[in-house]
Amino acid sequence: MDGQDMAMDIVPNDGTGSSKSRTFGVEEELLLVDPGRGDAVPMAGALLDLYVRPFESSAGPVLTAEFQQEMIEVVTPPHSTLAGLQADIIAGRDVARQAAEDVGVRVAALGTSPLPSDPHPVRLRRFAAMVEEYGLTAREQLTCGTHVHVSVESDEEAVGVLDRIRNWLPVLVALSANSPFWHGEDTGYASYRSQVWSRWPSSGPLDILGTPDAYHQLVHDMVSTGVAMDEGMIYFDARLSRHYPTVEVRIADVCMMPENTVLLAGIIRGLVETAAREWKAGIEPAPVPTALLRLAGWKASRWGLRGELLDPVTSRPGPALGVVNSLLHHIRAALEDMGDLQRVEALTDQLLHTGTGAVRQLEVLHRTGDLEDVVDDAANCTAGSEIQGAQRGLPGD
């Protein structure tokens, strides 16, 4: 979430509009967990007090605070290639791992804590006001997501992109699903984080808006109601950055494996580029009602890749594999032009073969019967990587 805008919108636009130079960056939220018990622990303050942030000129990833003291965020700098972003995703997780070890805890890329938790908001006036206003929704809001920023040329292009990616976003929930547990129970959902996040009154899919004026008027009207405290609490599935010329896609769980974050980022940049091309060509967005997008998001949250998803164009149920293939077909030309096609296809095949983080968590529980083992396995995976194996023989960016 945004909290006090500690999650940095760090991807600048280079002004060229070229598919080969459309920059992107990633923000990953990670849990801080006890190395023995596996429960989430409020150690963000101690960790960040010891963490030595790189100089502003540094091109490396940085760590920031989040709403709850049981989590931190890893922010990459902007990149123009998937290979460069991949390197910083891995490096950022390693920085987080080392910083956590310095204060006696571990980081785990989990969308929700498998074990019961009692979160502690960071001690800031704004966060205290959020807890007072939103009650249990704020007090229980310990969820970790992945946010991907992609550069755009203008607000006009950005809103054109938002209008044309909205129907594809639920597929990203299925691809990233990594939160089957809540307060020590199997929820039956692949991404229960999505259900918890939907409690915020300002979250969810957008209508087709058409113009920047319509977008900004909607934000203004939402804040004017007083229900959303400020613009930082506009939690659309995808939105315009308030500080930089980017579109920010916020719908996904944090991915357990770093290679799945790389895949997610590659797909999202492909979606943005494809949508921008359609907007420039005057191709109208698919007129999928927002109510149906909510149903598509729920279905993706419930089943992940292990059931049917709603087709992004027809809104009819279909096998998850077919819907994922439709997504890749939709963005294929953009991926090819950016040099990402082979890498994205290989990582997709790997994900479909091994399963999402939710699948892995459930398999560990089935094998060991212990949620502490689920957390331990996730912490082991967080800074690990199978990317090199998946990429062997593929060309670089």
Side-chain angles (χ1 to χ4, degrees):
M1 63 190 303
D2 260 351
Q4 199 188 30
D5 288 333
M6 292 181 179
M8 296 185 294
D9 299 339
I10 43 70
V11 189
N13 181 20
D14 64 7
T16 67
S18 165
S19 64
K20 290 186 179 296
S21 60
R22 194 178 291 279
T23 56
F24 58 160
V26 168
E27 302 163 358
E28 290 192 290
E29 296 166 342
L30 304 175
L31 279 180
L32 301 176
V33 298
D34 185 276
R37 302 185 309 270
D39 57 323
V41 288
M43 294 294 291
L47 184 155
L48 293 170
D49 282 346
L50 290 180
Y51 164 67
V52 179
R53 180 171 176 158
F55 294 112
E56 291 301 321
S57 59
S58 170
V62 297
L63 309 182
T64 69
E66 255 298 337
F67 180 56
Q68 305 286 14
Q69 296 183 52
E70 287 79 4
M71 58 194 294
I72 57 170
E73 185 168 66
V74 185
V75 183
T76 75
H79 287 276
S80 59
T81 68
L82 196 58
L85 182 62
Q86 169 182 306
D88 265 342
I89 288 169
I90 296 169
R93 287 181 174 219
D94 193 54
V95 169
R97 177 190 60 78
Q98 293 180 39
E101 288 178 356
D102 287 344
V103 293
V105 299
R106 303 183 77 188
V107 287
L110 292 163
T112 55
S113 173
L115 292 158
S117 62
D118 181 21
H120 301 76
V122 171
R123 294 185 181 90
L124 292 174
R125 182 178 302 174
R126 182 174 186 274
F127 294 166
M130 290 172 65
V131 171
E132 176 69 22
E133 178 68 17
Y134 301 103
L136 192 65
T137 294
R139 293 198 303 272
E140 285 194 342
Q141 190 57 237
L142 182 60
T143 64
C144 295
T146 301
H147 303 162
V148 179
H149 291 261
V150 185
S151 65
V152 287
E153 290 184 18
S154 63
D155 272 6
E156 288 76 15
E157 182 183 70
V159 174
V161 165
L162 292 181
D163 286 348
R164 289 162 179 80
I165 67 173
R166 58 195 286 277
N167 55 312
W168 295 98
L169 297 182
V171 187
L172 304 181
V173 175
L175 289 168
S176 65
N178 186 30
S179 49
F181 301 112
W182 184 250
H183 288 292
E185 294 187 17
D186 180 352
T187 65
Y189 285 79
S191 172
Y192 196 67
R193 169 193 167 273
S194 300
Q195 301 303 308
V196 177
W197 188 254
S198 69
R199 297 176 184 177
W200 293 109
S202 55
S203 66
L206 274 168
D207 296 335
I208 294 173
L209 295 171
T211 67
D213 285 347
Y215 177 91
H216 294 301
Q217 185 64 50
L218 175 61
V219 171
H220 172 77
D221 290 345
M222 290 176 69
V223 174
S224 296
T225 67
V227 176
M229 285 175 48
D230 50 40
E231 289 190 20
M233 289 198 66
I234 301 302
Y235 297 145
F236 300 141
D237 294 341
R239 67 183 185 184
L240 306 189
S241 166
R242 292 179 297 138
H243 306 297
Y244 293 92
T246 69
V247 164
E248 180 191 7
V249 177
R250 313 165 42 82
I251 198 170
D253 284 6
V254 69
C255 298
M256 185 183 298
M257 308 298 294
E259 52 265 37
N260 293 345
T261 305
V262 174
L263 170 62
L264 194 68
I267 288 175
I268 289 172
R269 183 167 69 157
L271 274 171
V272 171
E273 176 62 25
T274 300
R277 293 178 183 187
E278 291 178 341
W279 170 74
K280 289 175 183 176
I283 299 172
E284 293 296 319
V288 181
T290 301
L292 293 186
L293 293 183
R294 291 186 182 278
L295 298 185
W298 180 88
K299 200 166 183 65
S301 169
R302 176 68 171 89
W303 298 110
L305 297 176
R306 284 197 157 183
E308 291 185 324
L309 299 174
L310 296 190
D311 184 276
V313 177
T314 68
S315 297
R316 296 296 182 266
L321 177 60
V323 173
V324 171
N325 284 337
S326 294
L327 169 60
L328 294 184
H329 178 75
H330 176 67
I331 63 175
R332 182 182 179 87
L335 292 177
E336 194 163 24
D337 290 346
M338 291 183 288
D340 293 344
L341 180 61
Q342 287 181 280
R343 178 169 280 120
V344 166
E345 287 183 336
L347 290 174
T348 301
D349 288 344
Q350 179 180 323
L351 175 61
L352 293 172
H353 175 71
T354 61
T356 62
V359 170
R360 185 173 183 121
Q361 289 188 57
L362 290 166
E363 288 177 344
V364 172
L365 180 63
H366 179 74
R367 186 172 67 249
T368 70
D370 194 334
L371 286 173
E372 292 180 15
D373 291 333
V374 173
V375 177
D376 183 64
D377 179 71
N380 290 337
C381 291
T382 296
S385 175
E386 299 170 9
I387 292 178
Q388 293 303 317
Q391 300 304 317
R392 193 172 293 117
L394 294 183
D397 291 277

